[in-house]
Amino acid sequence: MAISNLQAARAAYQPKLPKALQGPVKAVEGAPTQSVGNQAEIKELFPNTYGMPVITFEAGEPVELPAFNVGIILSGGQAPGGHNVISGLFDGVKSLNPANKLYGFILGPGGLVDHSYMEITSELMDQYRNTGGFDIIGSGRTKLEEEDQFEKGIQILRELNIKALVIIGGDDSNTNACVLAEYYAAKKYGVQVIGCPKTIDGDLKNEQIETSFGFDTACKTYSELIGNIQRDCNSARKYWHFIKLMGRSASHIALECALQCQPNICLVSEEVEAKAMSLDDVVTYIAEAVAARAAEGNNFGTVLIPEGIIEFIPAIKKLIAELNDVLALPAAQNITSANEQIEFVKAHISPDNLAVFKSLPSDVAAQLALDRDPHGNVQVSLIETEKLLSRMVADKLAVWKKAGKFVGKFGTQHHFFGYEGRCAAPSNYDADYCYSLGYNASRLIANGKTGYMSIIKNTTAPAAEWIAGGVPITMMMNLEKRNGKMKPVIRKALVELDGAPFKFFAAHREQWAKETAYVYPGPIQYWGPTEVCDQTTKTLQLEQAK
Ligand code: FBP
């Protein structure tokens, strides 16, 4: 396989580990835990994996373990550092006993069900150390939730003599990991299941999980691109750039990029919802900033838009909630064409929601009415909100121009950044964090744990001071409506409006809107001064400074 010089040099990088993981460990157990919501219901659904303690690893005595095999699955969207989780797990498992084997299931959870797998050998592993992407075994979005799938899984796990399965995924995939752990525990199948917190979206975080891996590198990659656009924008001074950023419902990516780049405008979906803003309010907010800059002779600027914003406009949120229920009706399951689906939706939603539905541009309305992803989420990455908003701002400015309220020009460019960052070569932070998460998972396995997520904390400190351990997945759960039914799920972390990152942004945004206060972060650096190469996200720095 041909590789770039950077990849060759990066392959030699040895990721750092927390001190506690550098030798034999002992597991220190905290107090029994409770789920974050619906405690009685979650306890009943997870009788074997509920209430377990949080675990912290400390230096311990060496123990000899018989050889065992481990399986690994990459689930959902790609995130930088996935290969390092695998290399950390590989090295951790081999350090316990060189005869241990690691098997990768191909193309996500579907590989477990279809018995599609490969052994990850040391030669194979070495080609992927510190690289971006999930291509070593591929990823997929098959949802593991049926007993039939779990039973097919156990057949291959037994055939390969696999003692533990590590599932690398976001909130939905880790919810499924927990359901699988519970099922295998209840059946006394003797297979452990461990999760790993992945997603560029940054919405899998809480008291125990500081950040999901990949968020750091993805945001740095998007910020480099936004910075480049801002330089171009400030050089030509003739365009407003509308930049949509991935992140599903949460605005963490947009907010982090705003903290790094200081654009003129950054919308935060969670704020739009809290202020009960209508689509017209959002458009007016942008148009006013455009008009104010135009009055100073600045007919250019940048607007960051979180991809999920449309879901947070209260009237549209209400519409989506009803659409989800309607699309889950048995009669909707046999629809084969998009047109039929839209007509079905129109015939079944309430008059209020129908009015909102009809008021939306037809392409956006159609998108909201079309299929959900396997976890029941609206596929917001497919909705062209950046074009929708800029079109509506242009219309408003045209009206204001006639009334003498707008004196400038409004030329636009549109961008959507998502896929560009999901497979970037991991930053030093993600390389170390991911390797530690994987290595740590091997210690959770060796300690016989199941239904836990691998966690590494204190990550704004140097890596040696990081704290390694495990959190029971049930601790993060509550009940939420999915595909029309109440389901146990890990609670998604949205941007907190009273949190330090948003407060910092809110304190500066007026100045950034008026002035041209752009910051140009430049590309991720791997070698050089620590303040350039080893900084965590601004979000994490602000959160941990409190
Ligand atoms: P995960 O939640 O699986 O980590 O995926 C994140 C994400 O990149 C979202 O930001 C985006 O909305 C979605 O995946 C796009 O999905 P797909 O890769 O299926 O197009």
Side-chain angles (χ1 to χ4, degrees):
M1 165 161 89
I3 61 167
S4 70
N5 291 344
L6 174 65
Q7 191 178 328
R10 238 357 229 168
Y13 177 71
Q14 177 53 49
K16 302 184 191 85
L17 278 176
K19 192 146 195 310
L21 294 182
Q22 290 172 12
V25 298
K26 127 175 135 205
V28 179
E29 299 195 345
T33 57
Q34 301 267 26
S35 61
V36 287
N38 308 94
Q39 290 158 355
E41 291 92 336
I42 304 288
K43 188 174 180 183
E44 202 182 324
L45 288 165
F46 296 90
N48 295 281
T49 49
Y50 188 85
M52 302 183 299
V54 172
I55 286 168
T56 307
F57 287 125
E58 290 180 0
E61 296 301 319
V63 269
E64 291 221 350
L65 289 172
F68 62 86
N69 297 338
V70 172
I72 191 154
I73 294 176
L74 292 164
S75 182
Q78 288 68 254
H83 290 155
N84 275 34
V85 179
I86 300 182
S87 64
L89 179 66
F90 180 89
D91 292 350
V93 159
K94 294 281 180 190
S95 74
L96 292 166
N97 186 333
N100 290 346
K101 286 186 182 166
L102 180 62
Y103 290 98
F105 288 96
I106 312 291
L107 286 173
L112 177 72
V113 180
D114 304 337
H115 299 186
S116 173
Y117 65 90
M118 67 197 286
E119 186 186 340
I120 298 179
T121 59
S122 135
E123 295 69 36
L124 179 68
M125 193 68 257
D126 287 349
Q127 294 172 39
Y128 289 92
R129 289 178 187 271
N130 308 307
T131 59
F134 278 7
D135 44 322
I136 184 169
I137 50 175
S139 185
R141 291 198 185 277
T142 302
K143 191 168 163 58
L144 276 185
E145 61 173 356
E146 306 292 340
E147 280 193 25
D148 174 48
Q149 297 172 308
F150 302 164
E151 289 296 331
K152 285 196 181 131
I154 197 69
Q155 287 168 10
I156 189 67
L157 295 172
R158 284 199 174 128
E159 197 178 304
L160 298 173
N161 198 21
I162 287 177
K163 166 189 165 75
L165 188 60
V166 176
I167 299 183
I168 302 178
D171 51 344
D172 289 326
S173 307
N174 275 289
T175 296
N176 295 157
C178 193
V179 174
L180 188 64
E182 175 64 32
Y183 182 85
Y184 286 168
K187 293 269 179 182
K188 302 203 182 343
Y189 283 170
V191 173
Q192 301 157 238
V193 183
I194 300 293
C196 242
K198 168 236 72 167
T199 179
I200 59 162
D201 300 347
D203 57 3
L204 177 48
K205 67 173 170 181
N206 49 47
E207 285 290 300
Q208 299 298 333
I209 299 173
E210 288 189 356
T211 185
S212 53
F213 80 74
F215 176 69
D216 182 88
T217 309
C219 288
K220 283 174 177 156
T221 306
Y222 304 141
S223 295
E224 177 200 353
L225 298 174
I226 295 163
N228 293 349
I229 286 173
Q230 291 189 152
R231 277 262 201 229
D232 193 285
C233 175
N234 197 17
S235 304
R237 303 190 186 175
K238 61 176 180 180
Y239 293 127
W240 272 86
H241 291 263
F242 282 69
I243 306 167
K244 183 176 79 161
L245 291 152
M246 260 191 184
R248 285 193 195 280
S249 306
S251 306
H252 298 294
I253 292 183
L255 179 58
E256 171 63 24
C257 292
L259 294 170
Q260 290 194 30
C261 302
Q262 304 186 182
N264 300 104
I265 297 171
C266 173
L267 302 175
V268 174
S269 310
E270 293 82 345
E271 184 184 29
V272 167
E273 181 176 39
K275 291 187 172 165
M277 290 170 85
S278 65
L279 192 50
D280 186 60
D281 292 337
V282 174
V283 170
T284 304
Y285 171 70
I286 301 172
E288 278 174 350
V290 172
R293 279 178 68 77
E296 304 281 313
N298 295 321
N299 291 301
F300 64 96
T302 45
V303 185
L304 304 191
I305 303 159
E307 72 172 358
I309 193 151
I310 199 100
E311 291 181 290
F312 283 78
I313 293 170
I316 300 178
K317 185 174 187 153
K318 213 170 120 239
L319 167 68
I320 291 174
E322 192 179 9
L323 287 176
N324 288 344
D325 290 348
V326 165
L327 290 172
L329 291 172
Q333 307 318 308
N334 302 324
I335 297 175
T336 47
S337 81
N339 277 346
E340 213 188 316
Q341 185 142 324
I342 291 166
E343 289 314 312
F344 180 86
V345 154
K346 282 190 190 161
H348 286 81
I349 55 176
S350 61
D352 278 6
N353 280 334
L354 184 60
V356 176
F357 189 77
K358 285 185 172 163
S359 74
L360 292 170
S362 57
D363 48 341
V364 176
Q367 193 52 56
L368 292 180
L370 295 183
D371 290 338
R372 305 304 188 240
D373 79 0
H375 297 277
N377 304 308
V378 175
Q379 300 191 57
V380 280
S381 61
L382 302 178
I383 303 174
E384 293 187 314
T385 345
E386 69 284 20
K387 292 189 182 151
L388 168 75
L389 288 173
S390 96
R391 204 161 66 206
M392 294 178 83
V393 169
D395 290 348
K396 191 164 283 276
L397 290 172
V399 174
W400 288 359
K401 196 161 211 162
K402 279 193 191 135
K405 199 177 155 190
F406 172 60
V407 288
K409 289 189 194 132
F410 183 60
T412 53
Q413 294 290 342
H414 304 104
H415 316 266
F416 169 35
F417 296 146
Y419 300 100
E420 294 80 350
R422 298 202 311 186
C423 283
S427 61
N428 286 347
Y429 175 85
D430 269 329
D432 296 346
Y433 181 52
C434 292
Y435 186 81
S436 298
L437 284 170
Y439 201 95
N440 183 57
S442 74
R443 272 35 190 177
L444 288 167
I445 296 167
N447 277 274
K449 302 301 172 197
T450 191
Y452 274 82
M453 208 182 301
S454 174
I455 50 168
I456 301 290
K457 299 202 273 192
N458 197 32
T459 63
T460 49
E465 294 163 35
W466 291 2
I467 298 163
V471 57
I473 302 178
T474 50
M475 187 182 174
M476 300 177 266
M477 286 192 169
N478 65 167
L479 293 181
E480 286 174 25
K481 205 171 201 186
R482 294 290 164 93
N483 288 328
K485 290 193 196 115
M486 293 308 280
K487 289 268 171 92
V489 291
I490 293 175
R491 185 182 280 171
K492 231 185 229 311
L494 300 178
V495 168
E496 288 175 9
L497 302 183
D498 57 356
F502 180 79
K503 278 188 173 162
F504 184 92
F505 164 71
H508 292 84
R509 64 178 155 188
E510 268 180 43
Q511 182 205 344
W512 298 349
K514 253 188 263 136
E515 297 169 13
T516 304
Y518 303 150
V519 173
Y520 315 110
I524 294 175
Q525 302 292 312
Y526 301 99
W527 299 275
T530 190
E531 66 276 16
V532 177
C533 303
D534 301 319
Q535 291 303 304
T536 61
T537 55
K538 302 246 182 231
T539 301
L540 200 55
Q541 286 166 31
L542 288 161
E543 281 171 350
Q544 299 213 346
K546 60 184 176 194

